[in-house]
Coordinates of all heavy atoms in Angstrom, one line a residue:
M793 N 84.9 -6.0 -10.7 CA 83.7 -5.8 -10.2 C 82.7 -5.4 -11.4 O 83.2 -4.5 -12.2 CB 83.6 -4.6 -9.2 CG 84.3 -5.0 -7.9 SD 84.3 -4.0 -6.6 CE 83.9 -2.5 -7.0
K794 N 81.6 -5.9 -11.4 CA 80.7 -5.7 -12.7 C 79.5 -4.9 -12.2 O 78.7 -5.3 -11.4 CB 80.2 -7.0 -13.3 CG 79.7 -8.0 -12.2 CD 79.3 -9.2 -12.6 CE 78.7 -9.9 -11.5 NZ 78.6 -11.2 -11.3
N795 N 79.3 -3.8 -12.9 CA 78.0 -2.9 -12.7 C 77.7 -2.8 -11.4 O 76.5 -2.9 -11.0 CB 76.9 -3.6 -13.6 CG 77.1 -3.6 -15.2 OD1 78.0 -2.9 -15.5 ND2 76.5 -4.4 -15.9
I796 N 78.5 -2.4 -10.5 CA 78.0 -2.1 -9.1 C 77.9 -0.6 -9.0 O 78.8 0.3 -9.2 CB 79.2 -2.5 -8.1 CG1 79.2 -4.1 -8.1 CG2 78.8 -2.1 -6.7 CD1 80.2 -4.8 -7.2
D797 N 76.7 -0.1 -8.7 CA 76.4 1.3 -8.6 C 76.8 1.8 -7.2 O 76.6 1.0 -6.2 CB 74.8 1.3 -8.6 CG 74.4 2.8 -8.8 OD1 75.3 3.7 -8.8 OD2 73.1 3.0 -8.9
P798 N 77.5 3.0 -7.1 CA 78.1 3.4 -5.8 C 77.0 3.6 -4.8 O 77.2 3.5 -3.8 CB 78.7 4.6 -6.2 CG 79.0 4.6 -7.7 CD 77.9 3.7 -8.3
R799 N 75.7 3.8 -5.3 CA 74.6 4.0 -4.3 C 74.3 2.7 -3.5 O 73.8 2.8 -2.5 CB 73.3 4.4 -5.1 CG 73.4 5.7 -5.6 CD 72.1 6.1 -6.5 NE 72.2 5.3 -7.6 CZ 71.2 5.3 -8.5 NH1 70.2 6.0 -8.3 NH2 71.2 4.5 -9.5
H800 N 74.7 1.5 -4.0 CA 74.6 0.3 -3.3 C 75.3 0.4 -1.9 O 74.9 -0.1 -0.9 CB 75.0 -0.9 -4.0 CG 74.2 -1.2 -5.2 ND1 72.8 -1.0 -5.2 CD2 74.4 -1.6 -6.4 CE1 72.3 -1.3 -6.4 NE2 73.3 -1.6 -7.2
Y801 N 76.5 1.0 -2.0 CA 77.3 1.1 -0.8 C 76.6 2.1 0.2 O 77.0 2.0 1.5 CB 78.7 1.6 -1.1 CG 79.5 0.6 -1.8 CD1 79.8 0.7 -3.2 CD2 80.0 -0.5 -1.1 CE1 80.6 -0.2 -4.0 CE2 80.7 -1.5 -1.8 CZ 80.9 -1.3 -3.2 OH 81.6 -2.3 -3.9
D802 N 75.9 3.1 -0.2 CA 75.2 3.9 0.7 C 73.9 3.1 1.4 O 73.5 3.6 2.5 CB 74.6 5.2 -0.1 CG 75.8 6.0 -0.5 OD1 76.9 6.0 0.1 OD2 75.6 6.7 -1.6
I803 N 73.3 2.2 0.7 CA 72.1 1.5 1.2 C 72.6 0.5 2.3 O 72.0 0.4 3.4 CB 71.4 0.8 0.1 CG1 70.9 1.8 -1.0 CG2 70.4 -0.2 0.6 CD1 70.3 1.2 -2.3
I804 N 73.6 -0.4 2.1 CA 74.1 -1.3 2.9 C 75.1 -0.6 3.8 O 76.3 -0.3 3.4 CB 74.6 -2.5 2.2 CG1 73.6 -3.1 1.3 CG2 75.0 -3.6 3.3 CD1 72.3 -3.5 1.9
V805 N 74.8 -0.4 5.1 CA 75.8 0.2 6.1 C 76.9 -0.7 6.6 O 78.1 -0.5 6.4 CB 75.1 1.0 7.1 CG1 76.0 1.7 8.1 CG2 74.1 2.0 6.6
A806 N 76.4 -1.8 7.3 CA 77.4 -2.7 7.9 C 76.5 -4.0 8.2 O 75.3 -4.1 8.4 CB 77.8 -2.2 9.2
P807 N 77.2 -5.1 8.3 CA 76.6 -6.4 8.7 C 76.5 -6.3 10.2 O 77.2 -5.7 11.0 CB 77.6 -7.4 8.3 CG 79.0 -6.7 8.3 CD 78.7 -5.3 7.9
V808 N 75.4 -6.9 10.9 CA 75.2 -7.0 12.2 C 75.7 -8.5 12.7 O 75.2 -9.5 12.2 CB 73.7 -6.9 12.5 CG1 73.4 -7.2 14.0 CG2 73.2 -5.6 12.1
V809 N 76.7 -8.5 13.7 CA 77.2 -9.8 14.1 C 76.8 -9.8 15.6 O 77.4 -9.2 16.4 CB 78.8 -9.7 13.9 CG1 79.2 -11.1 14.5 CG2 79.1 -9.6 12.5
T810 N 75.7 -10.4 15.9 CA 75.2 -10.7 17.2 C 74.9 -12.2 17.4 O 75.0 -12.9 16.4 CB 74.0 -9.8 17.5 OG1 72.9 -10.3 16.6 CG2 74.2 -8.4 17.5
E811 N 74.6 -12.5 18.6 CA 74.3 -13.9 18.8 C 73.0 -14.3 17.9 O 72.8 -15.3 17.4 CB 74.0 -14.2 20.3 CG 73.9 -15.6 20.7 CD 73.9 -15.9 22.2 OE1 74.1 -14.9 23.0 OE2 73.5 -17.0 22.6
K812 N 72.0 -13.4 18.0 CA 70.8 -13.7 17.3 C 71.1 -13.8 15.8 O 70.5 -14.6 15.1 CB 69.8 -12.6 17.7 CG 68.3 -12.9 17.2 CD 67.4 -11.9 17.7 CE 66.0 -12.1 17.4 NZ 65.0 -11.3 18.0
A813 N 71.9 -13.0 15.3 CA 72.2 -12.9 13.9 C 73.0 -14.1 13.5 O 72.9 -14.8 12.4 CB 72.9 -11.8 13.5
T814 N 73.8 -14.7 14.5 CA 74.5 -15.8 14.1 C 73.6 -17.2 14.0 O 73.8 -18.0 13.3 CB 75.7 -16.0 15.1 OG1 76.5 -14.8 15.3 CG2 76.5 -17.3 14.8
V815 N 72.7 -17.2 15.0 CA 71.6 -18.2 14.9 C 70.9 -18.2 13.6 O 70.6 -19.3 13.1 CB 70.8 -18.1 16.2 CG1 69.7 -19.2 16.1 CG2 71.6 -18.5 17.4
A816 N 70.6 -16.9 13.2 CA 69.7 -16.9 11.9 C 70.5 -17.3 10.8 O 69.9 -17.8 9.8 CB 69.2 -15.4 11.8
S817 N 71.9 -17.2 10.8 CA 72.7 -17.6 9.6 C 72.5 -19.1 9.4 O 72.8 -19.6 8.3 CB 74.2 -17.2 9.9 OG 74.7 -18.0 10.9
E818 N 72.2 -19.9 10.4 CA 72.0 -21.3 10.2 C 70.7 -21.5 9.4 O 70.6 -22.6 8.7 CB 71.8 -22.0 11.6 CG 73.2 -21.9 12.5 CD 72.8 -22.5 13.8 OE1 71.8 -23.1 14.1 OE2 73.7 -22.4 14.6
F819 N 69.8 -20.6 9.3 CA 68.6 -20.8 8.6 C 68.7 -19.9 7.3 O 67.6 -19.5 6.6 CB 67.4 -20.3 9.3 CG 67.2 -21.2 10.5 CD1 67.6 -20.7 11.8 CD2 66.6 -22.5 10.5 CE1 67.4 -21.4 13.0 CE2 66.6 -23.2 11.7 CZ 66.9 -22.6 12.8
N820 N 69.9 -19.7 6.7 CA 70.2 -18.9 5.4 C 69.8 -17.6 5.5 O 69.2 -17.1 4.5 CB 69.6 -19.7 4.3 CG 70.6 -19.9 3.1 OD1 71.7 -19.6 3.2 ND2 69.9 -20.2 2.0
K821 N 70.0 -16.9 6.7 CA 69.5 -15.5 6.9 C 70.7 -14.7 7.2 O 71.5 -15.2 8.0 CB 68.4 -15.4 7.9 CG 67.2 -16.0 7.4 CD 66.1 -15.8 8.5 CE 64.8 -16.4 8.0 NZ 63.7 -16.2 8.9
V822 N 70.8 -13.4 6.7 CA 71.9 -12.5 7.1 C 71.3 -11.2 7.6 O 70.3 -10.7 7.0 CB 72.8 -12.4 6.0 CG1 74.0 -11.4 6.3 CG2 73.3 -13.6 5.3
V823 N 71.9 -10.5 8.5 CA 71.3 -9.3 9.1 C 72.2 -8.2 8.8 O 73.4 -8.2 9.0 CB 71.0 -9.5 10.7 CG1 70.5 -8.2 11.1 CG2 70.2 -10.6 11.0
F824 N 71.8 -7.1 8.2 CA 72.5 -6.0 8.0 C 71.9 -4.7 8.6 O 70.7 -4.5 8.5 CB 72.6 -5.7 6.3 CG 73.5 -6.7 5.6 CD1 72.7 -7.8 5.0 CD2 74.7 -6.7 5.5 CE1 73.5 -8.7 4.4 CE2 75.5 -7.6 4.8 CZ 74.8 -8.7 4.3
K825 N 72.8 -3.6 8.9 CA 72.3 -2.4 9.2 C 72.1 -1.7 7.7 O 73.1 -1.8 6.9 CB 73.3 -1.5 10.0 CG 73.2 -1.7 11.4 CD 74.3 -0.8 12.1 CE 74.5 -1.2 13.5 NZ 75.4 -0.3 14.2
V826 N 71.0 -1.0 7.6 CA 70.8 -0.3 6.3 C 70.4 1.2 6.5 O 70.2 1.6 7.6 CB 69.7 -1.1 5.4 CG1 70.1 -2.5 5.1 CG2 68.4 -1.1 6.1
A827 N 70.4 2.0 5.4 CA 70.0 3.3 5.4 C 68.6 3.4 5.9 O 67.8 2.5 5.5 CB 70.2 3.9 4.1
I828 N 68.3 4.4 6.7 CA 66.9 4.6 7.3 C 65.9 4.8 6.2 O 64.8 4.3 6.5 CB 66.9 5.6 8.3 CG1 65.8 5.6 9.2 CG2 67.0 7.0 7.7 CD1 66.1 4.6 10.4
K829 N 66.2 5.3 5.0 CA 65.3 5.5 4.0 C 65.2 4.5 2.9 O 64.6 4.5 1.9 CB 65.3 7.0 3.3 CG 65.2 8.0 4.4 CD 65.1 9.4 3.7 CE 64.8 10.4 4.7 NZ 64.2 11.6 4.1
A830 N 66.0 3.4 3.2 CA 66.2 2.3 2.1 C 64.9 1.5 2.0 O 64.3 1.2 3.1 CB 67.4 1.5 2.4
T831 N 64.5 1.1 0.8 CA 63.3 0.4 0.7 C 63.6 -1.1 0.5 O 64.8 -1.4 0.2 CB 62.4 0.8 -0.5 OG1 63.1 0.6 -1.6 CG2 62.0 2.2 -0.4
K832 N 62.8 -2.0 0.7 CA 63.0 -3.4 0.5 C 63.5 -3.9 -1.0 O 64.5 -4.5 -1.0 CB 61.8 -4.3 0.8 CG 61.5 -4.4 2.2 CD 60.3 -5.2 2.5 CE 59.9 -5.2 3.9 NZ 58.9 -6.1 4.3
P833 N 62.9 -3.3 -2.1 CA 63.6 -3.5 -3.3 C 65.0 -3.1 -3.5 O 65.8 -3.7 -4.1 CB 62.6 -2.9 -4.4 CG 61.2 -2.7 -3.7 CD 61.7 -2.6 -2.1
Q834 N 65.3 -1.8 -2.9 CA 66.6 -1.3 -3.0 C 67.6 -2.2 -2.2 O 68.7 -2.4 -2.8 CB 66.6 0.1 -2.5 CG 66.0 1.2 -3.3 CD 65.9 2.5 -2.6 OE1 65.9 2.7 -1.4 NE2 65.7 3.5 -3.4
I835 N 67.2 -2.6 -1.1 CA 68.0 -3.5 -0.3 C 68.3 -4.7 -1.0 O 69.4 -5.3 -1.0 CB 67.5 -3.8 1.1 CG1 67.4 -2.4 1.9 CG2 68.2 -4.7 1.8 CD1 66.5 -2.5 3.1
K836 N 67.2 -5.4 -1.6 CA 67.4 -6.6 -2.4 C 68.5 -6.5 -3.5 O 69.3 -7.3 -3.8 CB 66.0 -7.1 -2.8 CG 66.1 -8.4 -3.8 CD 64.7 -8.9 -4.1 CE 64.8 -10.2 -4.9 NZ 63.5 -10.6 -5.4
E837 N 68.2 -5.4 -4.3 CA 69.1 -5.2 -5.4 C 70.5 -5.0 -4.9 O 71.5 -5.5 -5.6 CB 68.6 -4.0 -6.2 CG 69.4 -3.7 -7.4 CD 69.0 -2.3 -8.2 OE1 68.0 -1.8 -7.6 OE2 69.7 -2.1 -9.1
A838 N 70.8 -4.2 -3.9 CA 72.1 -3.9 -3.4 C 72.8 -5.3 -2.9 O 73.9 -5.4 -3.2 CB 72.1 -2.9 -2.3
I839 N 72.1 -6.0 -2.2 CA 72.6 -7.3 -1.8 C 73.0 -8.3 -2.9 O 74.1 -8.9 -2.9 CB 71.8 -8.0 -0.7 CG1 71.5 -7.3 0.5 CG2 72.2 -9.4 -0.4 CD1 72.7 -7.1 1.4
E840 N 72.1 -8.5 -3.8 CA 72.4 -9.2 -5.0 C 73.5 -8.7 -5.9 O 74.5 -9.5 -6.3 CB 71.1 -9.3 -5.9 CG 70.0 -10.1 -5.3 CD 68.9 -10.2 -6.1 OE1 68.7 -9.4 -7.0 OE2 68.0 -11.1 -5.8
K841 N 73.7 -7.4 -6.0 CA 74.9 -7.0 -6.7 C 76.2 -7.0 -6.0 O 77.2 -7.3 -6.6 CB 74.5 -5.4 -7.2 CG 73.3 -5.3 -8.0 CD 73.6 -5.8 -9.5 CE 72.3 -5.4 -10.3 NZ 72.5 -5.6 -11.7
L842 N 76.1 -6.6 -4.8 CA 77.4 -6.5 -3.9 C 78.1 -7.9 -3.6 O 79.2 -8.0 -3.6 CB 77.1 -5.7 -2.7 CG 76.9 -4.3 -2.8 CD1 76.6 -3.6 -1.6 CD2 78.2 -3.5 -3.4
F843 N 77.2 -8.9 -3.3 CA 77.6 -10.1 -2.9 C 77.3 -11.3 -3.9 O 77.8 -12.4 -3.6 CB 76.9 -10.5 -1.6 CG 77.2 -9.5 -0.4 CD1 76.3 -8.7 0.0 CD2 78.4 -9.7 0.2 CE1 76.6 -7.7 1.0 CE2 78.8 -8.9 1.3 CZ 77.8 -7.9 1.7
D844 N 76.8 -11.0 -5.0 CA 76.5 -11.9 -6.1 C 75.8 -13.1 -5.6 O 76.2 -14.3 -5.7 CB 77.8 -12.4 -6.7 CG 77.7 -13.0 -8.1 OD1 76.7 -12.7 -8.8 OD2 78.5 -13.9 -8.5
V845 N 74.7 -13.0 -5.0 CA 73.8 -14.1 -4.4 C 72.4 -13.7 -4.8 O 72.1 -12.7 -5.4 CB 73.9 -14.1 -2.8 CG1 75.2 -14.4 -2.4 CG2 73.5 -12.8 -2.2
K846 N 71.5 -14.7 -4.6 CA 70.1 -14.5 -5.0 C 69.2 -14.4 -3.6 O 69.4 -15.2 -2.9 CB 69.6 -15.9 -5.8 CG 68.3 -15.7 -6.4 CD 68.3 -14.6 -7.5 CE 67.0 -14.7 -8.3 NZ 66.8 -13.5 -9.1
V847 N 68.6 -13.2 -3.6 CA 67.8 -13.1 -2.4 C 66.4 -13.5 -2.6 O 65.8 -13.3 -3.6 CB 67.7 -11.4 -2.1 CG1 66.9 -11.1 -1.1 CG2 69.2 -11.2 -1.8
K848 N 65.9 -14.2 -1.6 CA 64.5 -14.8 -1.5 C 63.6 -13.7 -1.1 O 62.6 -13.4 -1.6 CB 64.5 -16.0 -0.7 CG 63.2 -16.8 -0.7 CD 63.4 -18.1 0.0 CE 62.2 -19.0 -0.2 NZ 62.4 -20.3 0.7
S849 N 63.8 -13.2 0.1 CA 63.0 -12.0 0.8 C 63.7 -11.2 1.6 O 64.9 -11.5 2.0 CB 61.9 -12.8 1.6 OG 62.3 -13.3 2.7
V850 N 63.2 -10.0 2.0 CA 63.8 -9.0 2.9 C 62.8 -8.6 3.8 O 61.7 -8.2 3.4 CB 64.4 -7.8 2.0 CG1 64.9 -6.7 3.0 CG2 65.4 -8.2 1.0
N851 N 63.2 -8.7 5.1 CA 62.3 -8.1 6.2 C 63.1 -7.1 6.8 O 64.3 -7.2 7.1 CB 61.9 -9.2 7.2 CG 61.1 -10.4 6.6 OD1 60.4 -10.0 5.7 ND2 61.2 -11.5 7.1
T852 N 62.3 -5.9 7.2 CA 63.1 -4.7 7.7 C 62.5 -4.5 9.1 O 61.3 -4.8 9.4 CB 62.9 -3.5 6.8 OG1 61.6 -3.2 6.6 CG2 63.8 -3.8 5.5
L853 N 63.2 -3.8 9.9 CA 62.8 -3.3 11.2 C 63.5 -2.1 11.5 O 64.6 -1.8 11.1 CB 62.7 -4.3 12.3 CG 64.3 -4.8 12.6 CD1 64.7 -4.2 13.9 CD2 64.2 -6.2 12.8
V854 N 62.8 -1.1 12.2 CA 63.5 0.1 12.8 C 63.5 0.0 14.2 O 62.6 0.1 14.9 CB 62.6 1.4 12.3 CG1 63.3 2.6 12.8 CG2 62.7 1.5 10.7
R855 N 64.8 0.1 14.8 CA 64.9 0.2 16.2 C 65.1 1.6 16.6 O 66.0 2.2 16.2 CB 66.1 -0.7 16.6 CG 66.3 -0.9 18.1 CD 67.6 -1.6 18.5 NE 68.5 -0.6 18.6 CZ 69.8 -0.7 18.4 NH1 70.3 -1.9 18.4 NH2 70.7 0.3 18.5
K856 N 64.1 2.0 17.4 CA 64.1 3.3 17.8 C 65.3 3.6 18.8 O 65.6 2.7 19.6 CB 62.8 3.7 18.7 CG 61.5 3.5 17.9 CD 61.6 4.6 16.7 CE 60.4 4.3 15.8 NZ 60.3 5.1 14.7
G857 N 65.8 4.9 18.7 CA 67.0 5.2 19.5 C 66.6 5.5 21.1 O 65.5 5.9 21.3
K858 N 67.5 5.1 21.9 CA 67.2 5.2 23.3 C 67.4 6.7 23.8 O 68.2 7.4 23.2 CB 68.2 4.5 24.1 CG 67.9 3.0 23.9 CD 68.9 2.2 24.8 CE 68.8 0.7 24.5 NZ 69.8 0.0 25.3
K859 N 66.6 7.1 24.8 CA 66.8 8.4 25.3 C 67.9 8.4 26.4 O 67.9 7.4 27.2 CB 65.5 8.9 26.0 CG 64.3 8.9 25.0 CD 64.5 10.0 23.9 CE 63.3 10.0 22.9 NZ 63.5 10.2 21.7
K860 N 68.8 9.4 26.4 CA 69.8 9.3 27.5 C 69.9 10.5 28.2 O 69.6 11.6 27.6 CB 71.1 9.0 26.7 CG 71.4 7.6 26.0 CD 71.6 6.5 27.0 CE 71.8 5.3 26.3 NZ 72.1 4.2 27.3
V861 N 70.4 10.5 29.4 CA 70.7 11.8 30.2 C 72.1 11.6 30.7 O 72.5 10.6 31.3 CB 69.8 11.9 31.5 CG1 70.2 13.1 32.2 CG2 68.3 11.9 31.0
F862 N 73.0 12.6 30.3 CA 74.4 12.5 30.8 C 74.7 13.9 31.5 O 74.7 14.9 30.7 CB 75.4 12.2 29.6 CG 76.8 12.1 30.0 CD1 77.2 11.1 30.7 CD2 77.6 13.2 29.6 CE1 78.6 11.0 31.0 CE2 79.0 13.1 30.0 CZ 79.4 11.9 30.6
R863 N 75.0 13.9 32.7 CA 75.3 15.2 33.4 C 74.3 16.2 33.2 O 74.4 17.4 33.1 CB 76.6 15.7 33.1 CG 77.8 14.8 33.5 CD 79.0 15.4 33.2 NE 80.1 14.5 33.6 CZ 81.4 14.8 33.4 NH1 81.8 16.1 33.0 NH2 82.3 14.0 33.8
G864 N 73.1 15.9 33.3 CA 71.9 16.8 33.1 C 71.6 17.2 31.8 O 70.6 17.9 31.5
N865 N 72.3 16.7 30.7 CA 72.0 17.0 29.3 C 71.2 15.9 28.7 O 71.5 14.8 28.8 CB 73.3 17.1 28.5 CG 74.1 18.4 29.1 OD1 73.5 19.4 29.4 ND2 75.3 18.3 28.9
F866 N 70.1 16.2 28.2 CA 69.3 15.2 27.5 C 69.7 15.0 26.1 O 70.1 15.9 25.3 CB 67.8 15.7 27.5 CG 67.2 15.7 28.9 CD1 67.2 16.9 29.6 CD2 66.6 14.5 29.4 CE1 66.6 16.9 30.9 CE2 66.2 14.5 30.7 CZ 66.1 15.7 31.4
G867 N 69.6 13.7 25.6 CA 70.0 13.5 24.3 C 69.3 12.2 23.8 O 68.7 11.5 24.7
S868 N 69.6 11.7 22.6 CA 69.0 10.5 22.2 C 70.0 9.8 21.1 O 70.5 10.6 20.3 CB 67.7 10.7 21.6 OG 67.6 11.4 20.5
Q869 N 70.0 8.6 21.1 CA 70.7 7.9 20.0 C 69.9 7.9 18.9 O 68.6 7.9 18.9 CB 71.1 6.5 20.5 CG 71.9 6.2 21.7 CD 72.0 4.8 22.2 OE1 71.2 4.0 21.8 NE2 73.1 4.6 22.9
S870 N 70.5 7.7 17.8 CA 69.8 7.7 16.5 C 69.1 6.5 16.3 O 69.5 5.5 16.8 CB 70.7 8.1 15.4 OG 71.8 7.4 15.3
D871 N 67.9 6.4 15.5 CA 67.2 5.3 15.0 C 68.2 4.4 14.0 O 68.9 5.0 13.3 CB 65.9 5.5 14.4 CG 65.1 6.4 15.2 OD1 65.1 6.4 16.4 OD2 64.0 7.0 14.7
V872 N 68.0 3.2 14.1 CA 68.7 2.2 13.3 C 67.8 1.3 12.6 O 66.9 0.7 13.2 CB 69.7 1.2 14.1 CG1 70.5 0.4 13.4 CG2 70.7 2.3 14.9
K873 N 67.9 1.1 11.3 CA 67.2 0.3 10.5 C 67.9 -1.0 10.1 O 69.2 -0.9 9.9 CB 66.7 1.0 9.2 CG 65.7 0.1 8.3 CD 65.1 0.9 7.2 CE 63.9 0.2 6.5 NZ 63.3 1.0 5.5
R874 N 67.3 -2.0 10.4 CA 68.0 -3.4 10.0 C 67.3 -4.1 9.1 O 66.0 -4.0 8.9 CB 68.2 -4.2 11.4 CG 69.1 -3.6 12.2 CD 69.3 -4.6 13.4 NE 70.2 -4.0 14.5 CZ 70.7 -4.6 15.5 NH1 70.4 -5.8 15.7 NH2 71.7 -4.1 16.2
A875 N 68.0 -4.9 8.2 CA 67.3 -5.8 7.2 C 67.7 -7.2 7.4 O 68.9 -7.5 7.5 CB 67.6 -5.4 5.8
I876 N 66.7 -8.1 7.6 CA 66.9 -9.4 7.6 C 66.8 -10.1 6.2 O 65.6 -10.1 5.8 CB 66.1 -10.2 8.7 CG1 66.2 -9.4 10.1 CG2 66.3 -11.7 8.8 CD1 65.2 -9.8 11.1
V877 N 67.9 -10.5 5.7 CA 67.8 -10.9 4.2 C 67.7 -12.5 4.2 O 68.7 -13.1 4.8 CB 69.0 -10.4 3.5 CG1 69.1 -10.9 2.1 CG2 69.0 -8.8 3.5
T878 N 66.9 -13.1 3.6 CA 66.8 -14.5 3.6 C 67.2 -14.9 2.0 O 66.8 -14.2 1.1 CB 65.3 -15.0 3.6 OG1 64.8 -14.6 4.8 CG2 65.3 -16.5 3.5
L879 N 68.3 -15.8 2.0 CA 68.8 -16.1 0.7 C 68.2 -17.4 0.2 O 67.9 -18.2 0.9 CB 70.4 -16.4 0.9 CG 71.2 -15.1 1.5 CD1 72.6 -15.5 1.8 CD2 71.1 -13.9 0.6
E880 N 68.4 -17.5 -1.1 CA 68.0 -18.7 -1.9 C 68.8 -19.9 -1.4 O 69.9 -19.8 -1.0 CB 68.0 -18.6 -3.2 CG 67.1 -17.6 -3.9 CD 65.6 -18.1 -4.0 OE1 65.4 -19.3 -3.9 OE2 64.7 -17.3 -4.2
E881 N 68.3 -21.0 -1.6 CA 69.1 -22.3 -1.2 C 70.4 -22.3 -2.2 O 70.3 -22.1 -3.3 CB 68.2 -23.6 -1.5 CG 67.2 -23.8 -0.6 CD 67.6 -23.9 0.8 OE1 68.6 -24.7 1.0 OE2 66.8 -23.5 1.7
G882 N 71.4 -22.6 -1.6 CA 72.8 -22.8 -2.2 C 73.6 -21.6 -2.3 O 74.8 -21.5 -2.6
H883 N 73.0 -20.4 -1.7 CA 73.6 -19.1 -1.7 C 74.1 -18.9 -0.3 O 73.3 -19.2 0.6 CB 72.9 -18.0 -2.3 CG 72.6 -18.1 -3.7 ND1 73.5 -17.7 -4.7 CD2 71.6 -18.7 -4.5 CE1 73.1 -17.9 -5.9 NE2 71.9 -18.5 -5.8
R884 N 75.1 -18.2 -0.1 CA 75.7 -17.9 1.4 C 76.4 -16.7 1.5 O 77.3 -16.4 0.5 CB 76.5 -19.1 1.8 CG 77.0 -19.1 3.2 CD 77.5 -20.5 3.5 NE 78.1 -20.5 4.8 CZ 77.4 -20.5 6.1 NH1 76.1 -20.5 6.0 NH2 78.0 -20.5 7.1
I885 N 76.3 -15.9 2.5 CA 77.2 -14.8 2.7 C 77.8 -15.0 4.1 O 77.1 -15.2 5.1 CB 76.3 -13.5 2.8 CG1 75.7 -13.3 1.5 CG2 77.2 -12.4 3.2 CD1 74.9 -12.0 1.3
D886 N 79.1 -15.1 4.2 CA 79.7 -15.2 5.4 C 80.3 -13.9 6.0 O 81.4 -13.6 5.5 CB 80.9 -16.3 5.3 CG 81.3 -16.8 6.7 OD1 80.7 -16.4 7.7 OD2 82.3 -17.5 6.8
V887 N 79.7 -13.1 6.8 CA 80.1 -11.9 7.3 C 81.2 -11.9 8.4 O 81.9 -11.1 8.7 CB 79.0 -11.0 7.8 CG1 78.1 -10.6 6.7 CG2 78.2 -11.6 9.0
T888 N 81.3 -13.1 9.0 CA 82.3 -13.3 10.1 C 83.8 -13.5 9.7 O 84.7 -13.3 10.5 CB 81.9 -14.5 11.0 OG1 81.9 -15.7 10.3 CG2 80.6 -14.2 11.7
T889 N 84.0 -13.8 8.4 CA 85.3 -14.1 8.0 C 86.1 -12.8 7.8 O 87.4 -12.8 7.9 CB 85.4 -14.8 6.6 OG1 84.6 -14.1 5.6 CG2 84.9 -16.3 6.8
G890 N 85.5 -11.6 7.5 CA 86.2 -10.4 7.2 C 86.5 -9.7 8.5 O 87.1 -8.7 8.4
L891 N 86.1 -10.2 9.7 CA 86.3 -9.5 11.0 C 87.7 -9.9 11.6 O 88.2 -10.9 11.4 CB 85.2 -9.7 11.9 CG 83.8 -9.4 11.5 CD1 82.8 -9.8 12.6 CD2 83.8 -7.9 11.3

């Protein structure tokens, strides 16, 4: 491994494997859960260093946590930030092989 900063592992939390993410992979896009305070340049750098690919663009979204009531106790799920990473032509990340 070459020059991988340990902070990159804190930025990229996990890949998202859903039906929508699988369809997006046909268009050279990969979806990841990322740290809530991660910025687009940080996400781009982390993906390029960890997976040795070239990133074209990064789009992010924050999914707000749902409010829940369980036996009269109120609570909420935590917010989740996702990054949709578009890769350059010829580059590929296959997140389904490691599962």
Side-chain angles (χ1 to χ4, degrees):
M793 296 192 336
K794 53 180 185 216
N795 294 340
I796 296 180
D797 192 355
R799 289 178 290 177
H800 295 321
Y801 292 107
D802 295 333
I803 293 172
I804 307 300
V805 177
V808 175
V809 182
T810 60
E811 187 173 352
K812 191 172 186 178
T814 306
V815 170
S817 68
E818 296 175 7
F819 300 101
N820 223 17
K821 296 182 180 188
V822 186
V823 183
F824 291 97
K825 278 186 192 176
V826 295
I828 202 80
K829 294 190 178 198
T831 62
K832 289 182 181 184
Q834 289 174 339
I835 295 168
K836 179 178 179 178
E837 181 185 356
I839 295 292
E840 287 181 344
K841 298 284 184 174
L842 291 175
F843 295 102
D844 196 29
V845 294
K846 191 72 175 159
V847 175
K848 188 175 188 178
S849 68
V850 176
N851 295 329
T852 59
L853 60 103
V854 176
R855 195 185 78 201
K856 299 295 181 188
K858 296 179 182 177
K859 305 293 184 218
K860 297 285 186 175
V861 179
F862 183 71
R863 293 187 180 180
N865 295 327
F866 292 95
S868 63
Q869 295 175 337
S870 49
D871 298 344
V872 176
K873 186 171 189 174
R874 292 184 178 188
I876 302 168
V877 179
T878 305
L879 302 174
E880 292 283 347
E881 291 296 323
H883 293 275
R884 185 165 171 79
I885 298 174
D886 193 10
V887 295
T888 58
T889 56
L891 299 177

